[in-house]
Amino acid sequence: LTHHLLSLDHGHRVGVSVGGAGVPLVFLHGFGLNRRAYVRLLSRLGGLGFLIIAPDAAGHGETPGLPRGAAALGHRVQLTLRTLDALGVRKAVFLGHSMGGRMIVDLAARNPERVLAAVLLNAAAGAPFDESIATGLRSPRKVATRLLAAAVDAHGAPARLPAAELTLYLRVVAGALARNARAPLGLSGALRAIIGSGDFTPILAAMRRHRLPTVVVHGEKDGVVPFESAHDMAERADAALY
């Protein structure tokens, strides 16, 4: 993969990694991370016959936050599409993790002509997840519980890694957190965009109407997005569930 800082119109800049050759595959990362945290996965996918395009979301990595008037999740999706336009990519497979998965659902529902297929990895979507956001807004205790679950997930899984892999994992995560810590408003803006995006039930239904090939891949013990959310996404979008 090669790493670039792409200049778009209106003075916007986007950090993006590109590599491989073949069918375009756009990867959108999770909340609080950046494209570099997934570089090993993306490099392997590039070797399987894909042209990998991995942008940093607004307020993450090397991409600055959006202006105050562009606070919605849809504005973040549009930034992704503008990045692809600048790279000359009109249609692609979209692969998204967590926040990136939610962005892909929105993108696919509103711009189906750009999507060859969608793959949602532990995507932050589905009715149970949306309901937890809505109730969390009224309950600080539930917000704290959800943040604790995220911390447990982040530390529990890598604890089983061999020492060499654990060192690499910690280095990657520390690098992502350090970069994002320099622009904390970017993370708070992304969180507000997710919370403010509302009920995704009709948006998932739109994916079904457009007959977009969709795969939902979800961890059964995800403490942040419950597994029943994956069932809901798969059913509403007519997707295969793994």
Side-chain angles (χ1 to χ4, degrees):
L1 297 176
T2 58
H3 307 287
H4 310 272
L5 192 58
L6 191 66
S7 294
L8 305 180
D9 54 353
H10 305 298
H12 292 157
R13 292 178 292 115
V14 174
V16 61
S17 298
V18 180
V23 177
L25 186 152
V26 179
F27 181 83
L28 303 185
H29 63 77
F31 176 79
L33 295 171
N34 59 49
R35 70 193 195 277
R36 294 175 185 266
Y38 305 81
V39 66
R40 295 178 71 191
L41 166 67
L42 299 177
S43 295
R44 291 175 180 175
L45 290 174
L48 295 176
F50 292 102
L51 168 64
I52 302 300
I53 301 164
D56 283 333
H60 292 70
E62 293 182 289
T63 303
L66 293 174
R68 288 187 178 181
L73 189 74
H75 292 117
R76 295 168 181 273
V77 170
Q78 286 303 313
L79 183 64
T80 301
L81 292 175
R82 287 167 55 203
T83 301
L84 298 182
D85 290 342
L87 294 171
V89 175
R90 294 300 304 167
K91 201 164 189 174
V93 174
F94 285 83
L95 172 64
H97 171 226
S98 190
M99 175 185 74
R102 191 173 184 89
M103 291 174 61
I104 287 174
V105 172
D106 188 86
L107 186 154
R110 303 180 195 279
N111 303 273
E113 74 285 353
R114 306 294 296 263
V115 181
L116 288 170
V119 182
L120 310 176
L121 305 179
N122 284 51
F129 177 78
D130 292 341
E131 290 166 7
S132 72
I133 290 177
T135 56
L137 289 173
R138 299 188 295 270
S139 172
R141 182 178 179 180
K142 289 187 177 181
V143 172
T145 301
R146 185 55 54 86
L147 292 175
L148 178 61
V152 170
D153 269 10
H155 292 87
R160 299 183 180 88
L161 293 174
E165 292 289 326
L166 178 60
T167 299
L168 180 60
Y169 173 88
L170 293 175
R171 186 184 305 150
V172 168
V173 172
L177 294 177
R179 183 175 294 275
N180 289 334
R182 294 198 290 268
L185 292 180
L187 296 187
S188 62
L191 186 59
R192 287 195 302 272
I194 293 171
I195 293 172
S197 56
D199 180 11
F200 258 43
T201 298
I203 302 178
L204 287 163
M207 292 183 72
R208 173 190 284 266
R209 289 197 305 274
H210 295 313
R211 298 183 178 180
L212 296 173
T214 304
V215 174
V216 174
V217 182
H218 211 91
E220 293 178 334
K221 297 181 180 180
D222 189 331
V224 181
V225 184
F227 191 66
E228 54 263 37
S229 291
H231 279 283
D232 187 76
M233 281 185 276
E235 181 176 352
R236 295 184 191 279
D238 193 24
L241 173 62
Y242 293 89

